Each structure stands twice: as C-alpha cells, then as structure tokens.
Amino acid sequence: MQLPRFHRLRSAYYHLEGQACSACGAVQFPARRSCLACRSEELERRPLSGRGTVFSYSEAVAGFEGFAPPHLMALIELEEGPMVAAQLSDVEPEEIEIGMEVEMVTRRIRELAPQGYIVYGYRFRPRLEVEAGR
Amino acid sequence: MRDVFIIGVGQTPVGEHWDLGLRELGASAIDAALKDAGVESVDALYVGNMLSGSVNGQENLATLLADAAGLLPAEAFKIEAACASGGAAVRAAALAVAAGAHDVAVAVGIEKMTDGLASTVSAGLATASDQDYEASHGFSFVALSALMMRRYMHEHGRSREEFAPFAVNAHQNAVGNENAMFREPISTEDFGRSPIVASPIGVLDAAPVCDGAAAVVVCSRERLGADHEAVRIAASAAATDTIALGPRGDILTLESARHSAQRCFAATGFKPEQMDLFEAHDAFTIITALSLEACGFAPRGEALRMAENGCIASGGCIPLSTAGGLKARGHPVGASGTYQIVEASLQLRGRAGANQLAKAGRALTQSVGGHGSIAVSHILEA
Ligand SMILES: [Zn+2]
C-alpha cells in the first residue's frame, strides 16, 4: 500500500499541475525544484491544458500486474512543451499513430491488489473537440 | 590517483540455476576470480546487484557474500545502479584502489532472478524508472525501451526487422561461449517472426531473465605479480540523465552513455576507432543502436547501417559483445556490467577461446541502467 504517495501526487495526477519558469518562460511537468532549462528556482505552479500529440507509443502484450489490457502507453508532447508518459484510453491499438492529437482525461490508472486500492489520475484519449469542430 | 589492474576474473554460467542461491552463485564467482588472481584474501568486496531486496528478500547482500566467500572481516557493501550495477561495482573497486584506500579489492556482479514470479521480477525491474511518473502508470522496463524504438523507427525511417543484425550477431557470438545461456544461432527470419512483447519490441529484441554472477579482482601496481596476466583499467567513468524519459531533450540520445564514454576517451586520449571491441549494453536492440551512436562509433541514425555492413561482427570495424552480450549470454541484471568486464579482460589476455579476436589490445565496456538514466563505462588495455 502506498496511500501517502498517491495523496502527495494528487495535484499532478488530477490536474496535470506543472510549472512555468518566471525567468525563461519554459514550462515543465512534473514540478521540480528548479527549471530544467535555466536552473532558475522562480517557478509558478499551474495546471497544464492537457492537450498534446502522441510522440511515441507501445502496446504491452504481456500484461503488467494491476493494469488491464489493452495496455496502451504513450509519450505525449503537451502543447506547452513538456513530454509526459501516460496510458491511452478510448482508442483501439491500431488507430494510434505518432502525431495523433490527444487530450487528458481522469481515469483509473492502476489497481493495487490485493487490498483493492484504486489509483486515479491522468490518461489521454483522441481529442474530441477536433471532431466536433469539423 | 594510482593505476589499477585487473588480475583475476571469474564467472558462473548464465541461466536458470534452480539449485543455487545468491550465496552459492556469488561465492562461486568470487572464488574463481581469487584463484585466477592467485590471492587468498582481499581488503574489500563491492557487490553490484539490483533486485536482491525486491526479488530475493535479501538486503545486506555484501555481508552475506563476504561471509559465504570466506572474506570476513573485509569491508563490503552493495552498489545499486539499476542495470548498470555490475559496472558500478567494478568502478567502486577501482576507485578504492586508485585512491589508495585498499591494495586489493574484488567486485562481484550478481543477480538471482528465478527466485521470483515473473510479475515480481517485472515490478522490481520497473523500479529503475520513475516510480511516480512511469512505473505507477504501467510503464515497464520493456515499454520504455519500446517508446524509444518506435520513435527511432519513425525518425530514421526504419522497420523493426532492420534491428535483426544485433540479435543475430549476439547469438552467433554466444555459440562459442560455454557460459552463455543461448548457444544457438538465430536467423534474420527467426527475428522477424518472434512474438511481440511490447510493440515494436519482440522476444528476440530482448535479453532474457536469468541468474548469474561474475567477479573481478583489482590491485595496485605494487601488488602486481610476475605471474599475473594483468589488464589495466585505463579509464572509468559514470554519468546520469533524467530518471524519466519525458524530460530528456532528445530521447534518442543516451546522454549518460555519451558523457561516460567521452570521459573515458578524454582521460586516455583514445578515439572510438582505436577500440578493438565494444562490450555494449544490448538489453534491447534499440539500446545497442543508441549506445553505438552515443559513444561515437556511429553518427546519429546510422547504427543500423553499421550493423547491416557487418561492422559489428568479429573481424569487423568494431566487434560487438563478443561473448554473446546481454542478449544471448544472458542478462542477470546487476551482474551484466561485471560479465562485460570479465569478457573484455579475457579478450585482452588472449584467453577468449573460440571467440578470441585476432587483435584485442583495447576494449570499451559500457553498462547502461534505467533506459539510459545511468551509464558506467570502462576502457581496458592489455
Ligand atoms: Zn527557466
């Protein structure tokens, strides 16, 4: 059981909270002590938009305990710049491609057996507003 | 800093050792290395290991092995650096001797993976990544490498089948290594047909789960004997990169591997083309490709072309993983970095048996952990 861990991570997991650097303007996720680009410690926390594109992806065939198939994983390049590793939802494995536009959704990300504790947090799905705008 | 020499090496066969535990495997490799060096005691023992806590329920591992190998009351502790642990343990031993703290030290890399269920081993290996932002989201060791491979294929216009030469070469080299786990050659067609584990990575891209231990004895120049077939550690360096893949500027440049290799080249004045062999961290074919590029053997995006041209075979411009590598000798995680140094030392001593290269004066060994977040490199010289 790692309840304190996931409680501590709630801002990142539920709001995709990152940081904007007051010195150079770079945006980073997750929050850290200093700016990766310029090392400034003048950082402002802010939730990111959750919009991005698929930079790379993989489907795990042999499952990983606590994760139900299809187990789809991607690196998402967020529109603010940072890259985040997350599971994909609401998409068939064969539909995924590099460059696909995605958006964040809050979903179940892991079940910690045997106690049954369920961790919720960000996943990404194909962007709905793109289709609505057509 | 004092010069440091490898005067003895030892190894167990790599495979599934159902009748041997951590203490038997470790003591066996240490004993063989001490006999090879002709020494009965050492000042210190450094143990490279990743999973003894999570898979075997055994920490304080170095004390266990010092006890089992009859080295008490020597200084002993464990060095953990994910898959690079075995390289890091040799570096710790070399530093201890170079600094003058000790005159004779032994490093052993060891992993006993078959004690755990597959799910326990997978979860243990995943702790090399960022637990908060990768492992907890289901990104296994394989999946993170798969993301790098997919992106490499995309940026360089390659198919997964084109990674075959690395696996084919490793299996070919393992045929001549009696300590290797897989001593059967494979074909390009076998590689293409192998089932997918995490797309685009297939079974034959990946190194196997297994058990093994390898050890090296190092000493100062003063302790070199007339009978020693000594190999000098000409350079040793370790470097790190972000623990998670996301924050890296470019996921296709292994910065840790680049920095650690560059420090070795800078310290010796050698260039990549002056190496006679490269013991690369071929846990996955993509990591082999990225390591070749990071160390300066191939320009960015050109590693597959090098492999296609036969450059990585024995007799090629840079023979790769001449004893089968992690892929076919086997990848007992925390031991692999030490196996690389044992195998390179045997080449430089002219004792690599069926796999002996015609010219083996200098070798680069590189052990990479946590999908490139840490790398330990050594240049060895005959
Ligand atoms: Zn900044």
Side-chain angles (χ1 to χ4, degrees):
Chain A
M1 289 291 270
Q2 300 190 343
L3 289 169
R5 172 196 291 272
F6 296 111
H7 181 71
R8 190 166 64 238
L9 291 166
R10 63 195 181 281
S11 296
Y13 275 29
Y14 302 155
H15 305 297
L16 207 63
E17 187 180 271
Q19 292 164 317
C21 175
S22 309
C24 78
V27 176
Q28 61 190 15
F29 178 88
R32 51 170 68 219
R33 198 178 164 74
S34 60
C35 174
L36 261 180
C38 76
R39 301 195 174 206
S40 164
E41 291 180 17
E42 303 288 310
L43 297 162
E44 196 183 328
R45 287 189 176 244
R46 72 152 74 137
L48 305 183
S49 70
R51 286 187 295 272
T53 54
V54 171
F55 186 79
S56 191
Y57 63 96
S58 175
E59 178 187 10
V61 176
F64 198 27
E65 205 167 30
F67 300 89
H71 188 25
L72 306 173
M73 289 160 286
L75 264 184
I76 309 296
E77 190 170 21
L78 299 171
E79 64 180 10
E80 293 93 341
M83 196 94 81
V84 54
Q87 295 175 78
L88 297 175
S89 276
D90 307 353
V91 64
E92 295 301 322
E94 54 278 8
E95 294 169 357
I96 308 166
E97 56 185 23
I98 288 177
M100 186 171 81
E101 297 190 311
V102 292
E103 63 189 6
M104 178 203 159
V105 283
T106 303
R107 291 287 165 85
R108 178 180 299 209
I109 59 173
R110 184 182 199 184
E111 288 189 42
L112 292 171
Q115 295 91 340
Y117 182 63
I118 297 169
V119 181
Y120 286 87
Y122 54 79
R123 284 189 180 220
F124 286 78
R125 69 177 174 198
R127 209 182 294 177
L128 295 180
E129 64 191 68
V130 174
E131 289 176 23
R134 274 184 192 149
Chain B
M1 300 285 261
R2 307 193 293 175
D3 278 343
V4 181
F5 300 84
I6 295 172
I7 53 168
V9 299
Q11 59 184 314
T12 70
V14 176
E16 298 176 342
H17 292 289
W18 303 107
D19 294 329
L20 302 176
L22 281 168
R23 69 180 81 217
E24 291 85 8
L25 284 169
S28 167
I30 292 167
D31 196 50
L34 294 183
K35 284 203 171 70
D36 186 40
V39 300
E40 283 175 6
S41 67
V42 296
D43 306 322
L45 165 69
Y46 301 99
V47 179
N49 170 271
M50 180 182 176
L51 302 169
S52 74
S54 57
V55 171
N56 313 100
Q58 180 69 64
E59 287 294 12
N60 201 5
L61 178 63
T63 303
L64 177 89
L65 298 187
D67 185 358
L71 302 180
L72 303 177
E75 165 179 319
F77 48 82
K78 166 171 159 174
I79 314 284
E80 192 277 312
C83 303
S85 301
V90 175
R91 174 161 166 75
L95 284 175
V97 171
H102 296 300
D103 289 321
V104 184
V106 60
V108 63
I110 180 166
E111 210 70 70
K112 174 67 200 168
M113 302 173 84
T114 58
D115 272 358
L117 296 172
S119 56
T120 308
V121 172
S122 294
L125 290 170
T127 63
S129 70
D130 186 326
Q131 184 61 251
D132 290 349
Y133 297 101
E134 292 178 333
S136 287
H137 294 255
F139 287 73
S140 66
F141 183 47
V142 190
L144 289 161
S145 298
L147 294 175
M148 298 162 100
M149 183 166 171
R150 172 92 63 196
R151 188 68 198 179
Y152 190 99
M153 288 160 54
H154 177 79
E155 287 192 19
H156 301 308
R158 294 289 190 163
S159 67
R160 66 170 294 271
E161 290 75 18
E162 290 177 287
F163 286 80
F166 297 117
V168 170
N169 178 64
H171 277 257
Q172 187 56 48
N173 289 343
V175 171
N177 176 7
E178 60 188 20
N179 291 307
M181 183 169 183
F182 297 132
R183 302 189 63 193
E184 311 82 29
I186 59 164
S187 67
T188 303
E189 293 69 35
D190 295 333
F191 180 89
R193 281 196 300 264
S194 75
I196 297 295
V197 185
S199 64
I201 287 181
V203 169
L204 288 179
D205 283 286
V209 164
C210 52
D211 309 326
V216 305
V217 177
V218 298
C219 75
S220 58
R221 187 179 292 278
E222 293 71 38
R223 297 293 288 270
L224 273 182
D227 296 340
H228 286 140
E229 296 176 358
V231 168
R232 191 170 74 92
I233 299 181
S236 169
T240 46
D241 197 355
T242 60
I243 180 100
L245 210 46
R248 294 186 195 165
D250 170 17
I251 68 166
L252 299 184
T253 299
L254 297 181
E255 286 290 352
S256 62
R258 191 173 69 83
H259 282 292
S260 70
Q262 271 188 355
R263 282 177 207 164
C264 286
F265 290 130
T268 55
F270 296 138
K271 295 184 173 65
E273 55 270 28
Q274 290 173 285
M275 296 296 114
D276 297 319
L277 67 142
F278 177 31
E279 287 298 327
H281 189 88
D282 56 341
F284 299 101
T285 54
I286 178 63
I287 303 296
T288 321
L290 295 179
S291 299
L292 281 167
E293 296 174 12
C295 295
F297 292 109
R300 195 175 193 281
E302 295 293 318
L304 301 195
R305 194 185 319 276
M306 235 180 123
E308 283 155 19
N309 295 343
C311 199
I312 61 170
S314 298
C317 54
I318 183 69
L320 216 59
S321 304
T322 59
L326 281 59
K327 172 69 199 81
R329 170 241 293 132
H331 182 24
V333 173
S336 289
T338 317
Y339 272 99
Q340 293 176 320
I341 291 168
V342 166
E343 290 156 358
S345 298
L346 291 172
Q347 282 286 0
L348 302 190
R349 286 162 61 176
R351 297 202 179 274
N355 291 343
Q356 183 62 49
L357 297 171
K359 179 171 184 281
R362 291 182 200 119
L364 177 69
T365 68
Q366 185 174 68
S367 186
V368 178
H371 52 284
S373 55
I374 179 157
V376 182
S377 303
H378 286 91
I379 289 180
L380 308 181
E381 210 174 4

